């Protein structure tokens, strides 16, 4: 069927799940029993579905016995581990709202997050690399040294009462996670009583959206939001109980906890954590050792694995599927992943935290040319449209505009921020993503870039994504990011930051010669810089605004008024 406008509606052949996450998990665990549910390589832990269900029950019980109740907020400030998924499932089981705290946060950021949503408890790891989480909490709550666990009264964190520490040696005023777990009881009738009062539209998760300006917003998600999204994501991957999914992406982000954990939980597949945080070598080792059939990652992760000097040592032949998402997926990288990592059925997903997160995804049987060049089609039970940012009119197929989405996946709202919720979700329920996209006549969506990233050079609209895709074809280019920088004559000029392939030394002239006659002259970057890395968020997303700021500082540039 050929579309006359850039609007598409997903299939409704399969009904939406109306259970809560806890009820759905219990039913799956009862069916799976002794099958392996979870492997945490760095913790050397393996749990069957029955064992996982028992620990979830115990933790849910411990929460209630600690005075936590339905609707209370509990933060988790940790990298990937068994305890993370226990928290995800146990909070959902008793209606407690899990608050994902970014492990990159520092003192002022975690203070803001905890107070914004009123966390009553926080589970945290002691440290990671240069982050000393215990020291940050001592700074925020010096009262810890003089209180019993669960009885904190801190001036800067007035609603926080309980801190639970991962690891073996708890700080004064904190409770060790293992001890907390043992305070609960599997089969606690109080857990069942609370679970019976829950509704699938209750909020159970808050994720703070990253932004380049202003304070983060707490996107609030329900059982229905994330459970259904996890299910349809797994359906697109054709996951089953024989699958073993390697999840090196962070759980604090939707990519890990929904596209990873919940895609597995809704299909009876095994979850494999290769490490607490991404490491290309440890991920390759886990794929081989655990005979993983699926692998998730952002493009920078796949590039790091493909270009690792020991890549050829590892057997990745068990791999079949997975997801590349989180930032634009370069066509050339996708081709290498399919050919060199055996991921013949890898899919691409597109979404945002506020939509739980996936709106569009390719499937395992999407033709390869579409799978490597688009983000697929609209997911079931959702609608997407491409609109003119100026007047809101739905554009014709092939015309770029802002992508909007509507359906079960749209968030409950930003926590405690109705004005910003109304800015994002219009009166008809459409979530305005801020992403520029096109839709073809068959409904395949291609992300052109962010509205704010579009470069206007001498009156010409230039999409950095197009130039990045072209430069990826250069044999000496490993990775590339293109941004606009202010220019007195043209308003903006293009700048390319390039990471060369190992063992190569491209020059600016090499890059410009490659562009000559192949792309329009105004799309050839004026500024070309060779770098070893890009500024990244903890999830591996490139922070283009930092590249732009660095170039402005280097060139002594000021923003031009382009209004």
């Amino acid at each position: 069927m050929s579309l006359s406008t850039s609007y598409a509606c997903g299939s409704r052949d399969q009904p939406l799940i109306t259970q809560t996450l806890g009820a759905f998990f219990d039913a799956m665990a009862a069916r799976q029993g002794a099958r392996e549910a979870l492997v945490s390589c760095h913790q050397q832990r393996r749990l069957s579905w029955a064992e996982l269900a028992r620990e979830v029950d115990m933790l849910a019980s411990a929460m209630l016995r600690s005075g936590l109740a339905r609707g209370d907020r509990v933060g988790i400030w940790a990298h990937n581990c068994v305890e993370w998924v226990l928290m995800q499932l146990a909070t959902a089981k008793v209606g407690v709202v899990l608050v994902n705290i970014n492990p990159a946060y520092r003192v002022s950021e975690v203070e803001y997050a905890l107070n914004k949503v009123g966390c009553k408890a926080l589970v945290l790891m002691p440290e990671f690399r240069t982050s000393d989480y215990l020291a940050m909490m001592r700074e925020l709550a010096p009262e810890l040294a003089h209180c019993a666990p669960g009885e904190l009264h801190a001036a800067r964190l007035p609603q926080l009462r309980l801190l639970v520490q991962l690891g073996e040696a708890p700080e004064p005023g904190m409770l060790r996670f293992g001890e907390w777990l043992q305070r609960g009881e599997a089969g606690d009738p109080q857990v069942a009583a609370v679970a019976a009062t829950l509704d699938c539209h209750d909020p159970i998760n808050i994720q703070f959206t990253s932004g380049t300006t202003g304070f983060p917003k707490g996107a609030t998600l329900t059982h229905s939001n994330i459970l259904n999204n996890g299910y349809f994501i797994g359906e697109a991957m054709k996951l089953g109980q024989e699958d073993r999914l390697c999840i090196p992406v962070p759980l604090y982000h939707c990519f890990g906890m929904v596209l990873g954990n919940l895609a597995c939980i809704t299909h009876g597949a095994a979850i494999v954590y290769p490490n607490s945080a991404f490491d290309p070598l440890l991920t390759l080792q886990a794929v081989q050792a655990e005979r993983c059939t699926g692998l998730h990652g952002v493009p920078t992760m796949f590039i790091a694995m493909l270009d690792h000097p020991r890549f050829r040592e590892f057997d990745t032949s068990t791999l079949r599927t997975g997801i590349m998402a989180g930032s634009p997926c370069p066509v050339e990288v996708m081709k290498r992943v399919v050919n060199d990592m055996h991921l013949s059925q890898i899919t691409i997903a597109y979404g945002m935290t506020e939509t739980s997160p996936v709106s569009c995804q390719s499937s395992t049987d999407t033709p390869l040319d579409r799978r490597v060049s688009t983000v697929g089609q609209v997911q079931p039970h959702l609608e997407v449209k491409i609109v003119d940012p100026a007047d809101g009119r739905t554009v014709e197929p092939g015309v770029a505009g802002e992508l909007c989405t509507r359906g079960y996946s749209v968030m409950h709202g930003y926590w405690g921020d109705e004005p910003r919720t109304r800015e994002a979700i219009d009166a008809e329920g459409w979530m305005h993503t801020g992403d520029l996209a096109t839709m073809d006549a068959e409904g395949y969506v291609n992300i052109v870039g962010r509205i704010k990233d579009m470069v206007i050079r001498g009156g010409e609209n230039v999409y950095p994504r197009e130039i990045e895709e072209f430069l990826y074809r250069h044999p000496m280019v490993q990775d590339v990011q293109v941004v606009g920088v202010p220019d007195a004559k043209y308003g903006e000029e293009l700048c390319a930051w390039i990471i060369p392939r190992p063992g190569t030394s491209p020059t600016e002239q090499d890059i410009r010669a490659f562009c000559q006659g192949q792309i329009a002259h105004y799309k050839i970057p004026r500024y070309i810089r060779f770098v070893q890395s890009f500024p990244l968020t903890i999830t591996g997303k490139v922070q283009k605004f930092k590249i732009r700021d660095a170039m402005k500082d280097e060139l002594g540039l000021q923003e031009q008024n382009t209004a």
Side-chain angles (χ1 to χ4, degrees):
M1 179 179 171
S2 182
L3 301 176
S4 58
T5 63
S6 294
Y7 165 85
C9 182
S11 164
R12 298 179 184 271
D13 292 344
Q14 291 178 278
L16 289 171
I17 298 168
T18 56
Q19 292 170 285
T20 63
L21 174 52
F24 189 99
F25 168 72
D26 283 347
M28 180 63 75
R31 291 198 300 274
Q32 296 289 86
R35 295 183 67 90
E36 200 160 67
L38 175 63
V39 179
S40 182
C41 298
H42 58 293
Q43 294 176 290
Q44 298 182 320
R45 290 199 66 190
R46 294 177 183 272
L47 293 173
S48 69
W49 283 87
E51 290 166 338
L52 179 60
R54 183 175 184 277
E55 292 205 11
V56 168
D57 264 2
M58 290 176 64
L59 183 55
S61 171
M63 288 179 181
L64 296 180
R65 294 179 182 190
S66 299
L68 296 169
R70 173 183 177 178
D72 285 342
R73 277 77 64 203
V74 174
I76 181 161
W77 200 15
H79 281 291
N80 297 10
C81 57
V82 169
E83 293 84 354
W84 214 108
V85 72
L86 292 179
M87 288 290 294
Q88 182 181 4
L89 294 167
T91 50
K93 198 157 192 178
V94 290
V96 169
V97 181
L98 183 69
V99 182
N100 302 6
I101 306 294
N102 188 329
Y105 276 3
R106 292 298 185 260
V107 173
S108 64
E109 295 161 317
V110 74
E111 179 181 13
Y112 170 81
L114 293 174
N115 286 332
K116 174 66 178 175
V117 302
C119 279
K120 287 184 68 173
L122 175 66
V123 175
L124 72 159
M125 57 186 173
E127 61 184 3
F128 184 79
R129 295 178 183 161
T130 61
S131 296
D132 187 335
Y133 301 103
L134 296 180
M136 285 187 257
M137 290 312 301
R138 285 194 295 267
E139 180 179 339
L140 281 171
E143 299 90 344
L144 269 171
H146 310 291
C147 75
E151 298 180 5
L152 176 65
H153 292 273
R156 292 177 66 177
L157 301 169
Q159 297 184 68
L160 191 65
R161 293 290 175 266
L162 173 65
L163 279 91
V164 180
Q165 180 192 323
L166 302 177
E168 294 302 315
E171 287 280 297
M174 297 190 192
L175 188 64
R176 187 170 60 84
F177 189 91
E179 182 184 347
W180 194 34
L181 184 67
Q182 292 304 317
R183 292 184 178 185
E185 176 190 350
D188 184 344
Q190 191 181 2
V191 172
V194 174
T197 69
L198 305 182
D199 183 86
C200 69
H201 299 297
D202 292 339
I204 54 163
N205 183 223
I206 296 174
Q207 300 197 30
F208 286 95
T209 59
S210 56
T212 59
T213 59
F215 289 109
K217 303 181 291 289
T220 306
L221 306 173
T222 68
H223 296 267
S224 180
N225 284 154
I226 60 176
L227 182 59
N228 281 292
N229 210 246
Y231 175 75
F232 288 116
I233 288 162
E235 287 292 282
M237 297 166 61
K238 291 186 170 55
L239 279 187
Q241 64 178 16
E242 302 299 327
D243 281 303
R244 301 172 66 80
L245 180 62
C246 184
I247 305 174
V249 293
L251 297 180
Y252 93 86
H253 188 269
C254 269
F255 201 166
M257 67 165 285
V258 180
L259 286 76
N261 286 353
L262 293 185
C264 288
I265 287 167
T266 52
H267 290 80
I271 294 166
V272 178
Y273 302 144
N275 192 35
S276 57
F278 175 67
D279 179 286
L281 183 59
L282 294 177
T283 303
L284 290 166
Q285 289 173 346
V287 166
Q288 176 176 283
E290 298 299 329
R291 300 189 62 76
C292 294
T293 60
L295 174 62
H296 284 355
V298 299
T300 52
M301 291 179 177
F302 283 104
I303 290 169
M305 287 184 278
L306 286 162
D307 290 335
H308 193 280
R310 293 182 56 190
F311 172 74
R312 296 292 175 188
E313 296 177 25
F314 295 97
D315 180 5
T316 60
S317 62
T318 56
L319 289 175
R320 169 186 69 83
T321 189
I323 296 173
M324 191 187 296
S327 60
C329 304
V331 172
E332 294 304 313
V333 176
M334 273 292 287
K335 290 177 179 176
R336 292 178 67 197
V337 166
V338 169
N339 294 328
D340 299 345
M341 298 185 80
H342 306 283
L343 284 161
S344 60
Q345 297 181 352
I346 193 168
T347 70
I348 285 185
Y350 162 79
M352 60 191 305
T353 303
E354 291 89 337
T355 56
S356 306
V358 172
S359 302
C360 299
Q361 188 177 355
S362 56
S363 66
T364 58
D365 49 14
T366 298
L368 185 60
D369 64 324
R370 296 298 181 91
R371 215 164 353 120
V372 301
S373 62
T374 75
V375 294
Q377 296 166 306
V378 62
Q379 276 271 32
H381 291 274
L382 300 178
E383 299 169 84
V384 294
K385 65 178 179 178
I386 313 296
V387 303
D388 186 323
D391 59 19
R393 176 185 54 83
T394 303
V395 300
E396 296 178 356
V399 177
E402 183 181 18
L403 189 148
C404 300
T405 184
R406 180 168 69 176
Y408 78 83
S409 71
V410 175
M411 66 176 176
H412 190 75
Y414 292 124
W415 186 273
D417 200 338
E418 185 60 30
R420 292 172 94 178
T421 300
R422 287 198 302 269
E423 287 175 14
I425 305 171
D426 67 27
E428 295 181 335
W430 289 98
M431 177 78 205
H432 290 252
T433 67
D435 285 319
L436 285 168
T438 60
M439 182 187 295
D440 69 16
E442 294 179 67
Y444 286 96
V445 174
N446 186 40
I447 304 301
V448 178
R450 293 288 291 169
I451 289 176
K452 65 183 181 185
D453 287 340
M454 185 179 74
V455 178
I456 304 176
R457 182 195 182 278
E460 297 277 3
N461 291 351
V462 184
Y463 302 115
R465 172 81 189 278
E466 176 190 355
I467 301 160
E468 290 162 359
E469 291 284 3
F470 174 75
L471 292 177
Y472 271 115
R473 301 177 196 168
H474 194 290
M476 290 190 282
V477 172
Q478 175 177 301
D479 207 351
V480 56
Q481 295 293 322
V482 174
V483 301
V485 296
D487 182 76
K489 181 177 181 181
Y490 293 106
E492 288 183 285
E493 276 283 13
L494 292 168
C495 169
W497 275 25
I498 293 171
I499 298 177
R501 282 197 186 280
T504 69
S505 300
T507 65
E508 290 187 34
Q509 182 54 36
D510 291 331
I511 302 301
R512 291 199 174 92
F514 184 72
C515 296
Q516 290 292 339
Q518 301 298 314
I519 58 176
H521 69 91
Y522 63 85
K523 296 180 182 178
I524 300 175
R526 177 178 175 183
Y527 304 105
I528 298 171
R529 299 291 183 268
F530 298 101
V531 298
Q532 295 301 307
S533 63
F534 302 133
L536 303 175
T537 67
I538 197 167
T539 58
K541 290 185 179 181
V542 178
Q543 295 174 302
K544 286 197 170 189
F545 73 96
K546 289 190 175 180
I547 297 176
R548 195 177 296 114
D549 288 347
M551 289 305 299
K552 283 160 55 182
D553 289 345
E554 175 191 330
L555 300 168
L557 298 171
Q558 299 295 318
E559 293 287 357
Q560 303 296 311
N561 185 354
T562 56

